[in-house]
Amino acid sequence: MKAVAIKKNGSLDVLEQIDLPTPKPKPNEVLVKIHACALNHLDIWVREGLRGLNLKFPHILGSDISGEIETTGESINDLKKGDKVLLNPGLSCGHCADCLLGHDNFCRQYNIIGTLQNGGYAQFISVPRQNILPYPQNMSWTDAAAIPLTFLTAWNMLVNKAKIQPGETVLVLAAGSGIGAIAVQIAKLFGCTVIATASTEKKLKLAQSLGADHLINYEKKDFSEEARKITNKAGADVVFEHVGKATWEKSILATRTGGRIVTCGATSGKDATTDINHVFFRQITILGNMMGRKGDLFKILDFVNQKKLKPVVDKVLPLEKAQEAHRIMESREQFGKIVLSIT
Ligand SMILES: [Zn+2]
């Protein structure tokens, strides 16, 4: 099969087109013919190399996949060739206490498609039956592929961890990023007031079109001061963090007394400074989050089918342009997702 893979960790030029054997599904797996794979910042981290992540080269990146069933393993009889599917990106053992309690993202064997095992920058992938999701109604392959990872993560952060309530104010950092654009929509779905930050007027306008109530250009203004002004000096009830070092201290200042900061990443750096005085004096709760519970994607897809949540795709490029796709994501030029189309 045609694939874009890496034979070592490194910069853009380690992404190369190669032919690899088509995987064979195990009895409880399905072989999916891939039509689209959306990029995530995770792809850059895996390409560059993550400590403790020992890849088997050549390795195929890509976690967010849409496609159709090609063949099924012998113990599967409820899916057939040609069924359109979306893949749940989280892999877990399925039998430990955490998995059985529905916290599969706490599983000790948890990993994400495209990290430890091959991903979606290819024509085929074999995945466990439990990772198959129903396909969203009337949706293109590329829009569908833009859904799983960011929706699952933003949902878990806001709904399960921060427990957002109607009337609360949510400050979404970098609302132009793949995950920020989804966080704005989920916070609005739950009746919150949304303050969005972005680096350009164009991105802010797009955030507004997704429902953001207040807009802050963080290149021009101090976002924590602006957020406090907007909230009558109180600060936001919830700060949606994924930027890390560049914003962390200000995120703490932008949170109201008794408020919550929920974080899923540190794209600008991990060694941020935390002023502990602010954390305890103002009784701020810091919530860490990685991915979400597999079952929540079914609920999320119901909202997508009702048009209450929608994927935000900025650019579609052919698989062969994977290097260019990574370059765009690294430069943060996009609003929403970059998706690879695979034929
Ligand atoms: Zn488990």
Side-chain angles (χ1 to χ4, degrees), residues 22-87:
T22 301
K24 272 180 82 120
K26 292 178 189 150
N28 63 340
E29 289 186 346
V30 294
L31 181 69
V32 173
K33 182 180 185 193
I34 302 172
H35 286 291
C37 180
L39 271 69
N40 290 286
H41 209 90
L42 178 65
D43 302 20
I44 295 177
W45 292 336
V46 176
R47 191 198 75 216
E48 290 176 341
L50 281 170
R51 205 191 313 166
L53 184 70
N54 298 313
L55 299 179
K56 251 189 2 206
F57 297 111
H59 176 76
I60 305 171
L61 303 168
S63 311
D64 272 333
I65 298 163
S66 66
E68 61 186 292
I69 303 284
E70 180 69 16
T71 56
T72 59
E74 58 213 40
S75 36
I76 293 163
N77 50 25
D78 61 336
L79 293 169
K80 59 180 192 310
K81 183 176 165 69
D83 286 349
K84 294 171 88 170
V85 292
L86 189 60
L87 302 196

Side-chain angles (χ1 to χ4, degrees), residues 92-96 98-99 107-108:
S92 60
C93 79
H95 52 76
C96 72
D98 285 319
C99 281
C107 175
R108 291 184 69 172

Side-chain angles (χ1 to χ4, degrees), residues 170-175 184 194-198 204 207-208 212-217:
V170 179
L171 170 62
V172 178
L173 300 190
V184 170
V194 173
I195 306 172
T197 79
L204 288 170
Q208 191 173 35
D213 303 279
H214 303 277
L215 310 170
I216 303 171
N217 184 329

Side-chain angles (χ1 to χ4, degrees), residues 274-287:
T274 302
D275 184 334
I276 294 170
N277 284 344
H278 281 292
V279 177
F280 71 79
F281 269 128
R282 301 202 350 261
Q283 304 173 68
I284 290 166
T285 304
I286 297 172
L287 299 154

Side-chain angles (χ1 to χ4, degrees), residues 29-260:
E29 289 186 346
V30 294
L31 181 69
V32 173
K33 182 180 185 193
I34 302 172
H35 286 291
C37 180
L39 271 69
N40 290 286
H41 209 90
L42 178 65
D43 302 20
I44 295 177
W45 292 336
V46 176
R47 191 198 75 216
E48 290 176 341
L50 281 170
R51 205 191 313 166
L53 184 70
N54 298 313
L55 299 179
K56 251 189 2 206
F57 297 111
H59 176 76
I60 305 171
L61 303 168
S63 311
D64 272 333
I65 298 163
S66 66
E68 61 186 292
I69 303 284
E70 180 69 16
T71 56
T72 59
E74 58 213 40
S75 36
I76 293 163
N77 50 25
D78 61 336
L79 293 169
K80 59 180 192 310
K81 183 176 165 69
D83 286 349
K84 294 171 88 170
V85 292
L86 189 60
L87 302 196
N88 214 320
L91 297 161
S92 60
C93 79
H95 52 76
C96 72
D98 285 319
C99 281
L100 295 173
L101 283 165
H103 309 298
D104 50 282
N105 54 332
F106 294 173
C107 175
R108 291 184 69 172
Q109 291 180 38
Y110 191 82
N111 78 89
I112 303 166
I113 290 174
T115 58
L116 267 180
Q117 78 158 49
N118 279 334
Y121 294 13
Q123 286 179 300
F124 294 96
I125 188 169
S126 187
V127 294
R129 168 65 185 88
Q130 62 171 239
N131 284 74
I132 300 292
L133 289 161
Y135 194 83
Q137 293 160 10
N138 305 317
M139 191 171 280
S140 67
W141 297 117
T142 48
D143 276 359
I147 294 174
L149 197 144
T150 47
F151 276 76
L152 184 64
T153 305
W155 182 277
N156 206 45
M157 291 170 76
L158 292 172
V159 181
N160 298 330
K161 293 276 170 76
K163 297 186 167 46
I164 50 173
Q165 300 294 319
E168 288 194 315
T169 300
V170 179
L171 170 62
V172 178
L173 300 190
S177 63
I179 193 154
I182 306 308
V184 170
Q185 296 182 59
I186 293 172
K188 289 309 295 178
L189 180 68
F190 279 75
C192 299
T193 298
V194 173
I195 306 172
T197 79
S199 56
T200 65
E201 295 307 314
K202 189 178 166 205
K203 285 184 182 178
L204 288 170
K205 279 273 174 294
L206 287 162
Q208 191 173 35
S209 74
L210 295 175
D213 303 279
H214 303 277
L215 310 170
I216 303 171
N217 184 329
Y218 67 77
E219 294 285 5
K220 292 186 179 159
K221 287 185 172 162
D222 180 317
F223 78 83
S224 63
E225 281 174 19
E226 289 301 306
R228 295 186 82 83
K229 267 187 218 163
I230 291 164
T231 53
N232 291 324
K233 298 188 182 163
D237 295 291
V238 173
V239 176
F240 185 89
E241 247 291 349
H242 52 109
V243 180
K245 189 178 170 106
T247 53
W248 186 251
E249 286 183 87
K250 290 193 170 159
S251 288
I252 292 172
L253 294 174
T255 308
R256 68 169 294 147
T257 298
R260 302 85 91 194

